[in-house]
C-alpha cells in the first residue's frame, strides 16, 4: 500500500527543483501527453524520462549509460530510478559547482536487481541555491520503501556519488 501511495504522489508532484526536469516536454504537467498525443498521462519517471532529464542537464554536462539488458522494469523501479537521477543531478548542480561532468548509469546486476549510479568529479565547491525538498533523506525513504539500498558519499578519487540498488520482484 505504501508503495502505491508513493507512486500516486509522484503522479501528482513530478516537478523538479532545477526547472522543468520533472515536467513533460512543452511545459505540460506531470506525465504530459501519452504516446500518440491523445492527452492520456504517460508513466511518471520511466526510463525515457531519465534520458530526457539527463539530456537536458547542462551545468555541468551529464552523460547516460543504460545497460542493454535492463528489460521491462516495474513502475516502482523506473520511478525510483528517475527520482535518484533527478535528485542527484539537482545536488550536483547545487553542491558541486566545480564539477566538469556527471555520469549516470543504470545497469542490471547479476542477481536481477537494478543499480542506478550518479557520479560527479567535483570537489565540493557549492553554489548558494535555495533548497525546496527533502533531499537525500527523502530519497533514502523512497528507496527503503521499495526494499532497496542507497549509498551517497565522496568517491576515493574525488567527487561525489549516489548509488541505489533496487530489487526487481517478479510479477
Amino acid at each position: 500500500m505504501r508503495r502505491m501511495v508513493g507512486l500516486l504522489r509522484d503522479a501528482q508532484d513530478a516537478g523538479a527543483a532545477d526547472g522543468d526536469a520533472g515536467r513533460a516536454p512543452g511545459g505540460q504537467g506531470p506525465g504530459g501527453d501519452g504516446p500518440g498525443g491523445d492527452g492520456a498521462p504517460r508513466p511518471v519517471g520511466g526510463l525515457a524520462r531519465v534520458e530526457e532529464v539527463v539530456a537536458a542537464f547542462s551545468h555541468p554536462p551529464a552523460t547516460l549509460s543504460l545497460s542493454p539488458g535492463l528489460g521491462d522494469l516495474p513502475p516502482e523501479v523506473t520511478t525510483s530510478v528517475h527520482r535518484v537521477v533527478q535528485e542527484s543531478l539537482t545536488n550536483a548542480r547545487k553542491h558541486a559547482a566545480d564539477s566538469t561532468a556527471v555520469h549516470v548509469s543504470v545497469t542490471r546486476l547479476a542477481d536481477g536487481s537494478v543499480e542506478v549510479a550518479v557520479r560527479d568529479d567535483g570537489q565540493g565547491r557549492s553554489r548558494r541555491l535555495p533548497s525546496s525538498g527533502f533531499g537525500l533523506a527523502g530519497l533514502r525513504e523512497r528507496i527503503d520503501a521499495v526494499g532497496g539500498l542507497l549509498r551517497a558519499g565522496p568517491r576515493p578519487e574525488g567527487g561525489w556519488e549516489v548509488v541505489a540498488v533496487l530489487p526487481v520482484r517478479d510479477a
Side-chain angles (χ1 to χ4, degrees):
M1 178 63 122
R2 186 173 177 184
R3 222 179 328 179
M4 182 57 73
V5 170
L7 289 172
L8 292 173
R9 188 174 299 139
D10 285 343
Q12 290 178 328
D13 183 26
D18 62 343
D20 290 336
R23 300 180 72 77
Q28 299 169 1
D33 284 342
D38 60 2
R42 64 182 177 178
V44 174
L47 293 180
R49 289 290 298 132
V50 169
E51 293 180 58
E52 292 171 11
V53 168
V54 172
F57 194 82
S58 58
H59 302 290
T63 58
L64 173 65
S65 297
L66 288 177
S67 172
L70 287 172
D72 290 329
L73 299 172
E76 65 270 15
V77 172
T78 58
T79 300
S80 295
V81 167
H82 178 261
R83 290 295 190 209
V84 168
V85 170
Q86 190 176 48
E87 178 65 27
S88 299
L89 290 177
T90 298
N91 285 347
R93 178 171 288 148
K94 287 181 177 181
H95 304 295
D98 58 343
S99 182
T100 61
V102 178
H103 183 69
V104 178
S105 63
V106 183
T107 57
R108 182 76 81 140
L109 301 178
D111 66 359
S113 60
V114 171
E115 179 187 82
V116 55
V118 182
R119 296 177 171 99
D120 70 56
D121 62 355
Q123 301 304 308
R125 190 172 53 88
S126 187
R127 291 183 178 97
R128 298 286 181 211
L129 298 176
S131 180
S132 62
F134 296 104
L136 287 175
L139 191 57
R140 185 171 308 281
E141 284 183 16
R142 165 179 292 285
I143 300 307
D144 287 348
V146 297
L149 301 170
L150 181 71
R151 180 179 77 248
R155 299 168 56 202
E157 64 273 19
W160 185 268
E161 68 181 355
V162 176
V163 180
V165 177
L166 304 160
V168 178
R169 292 175 176 77
D170 294 328

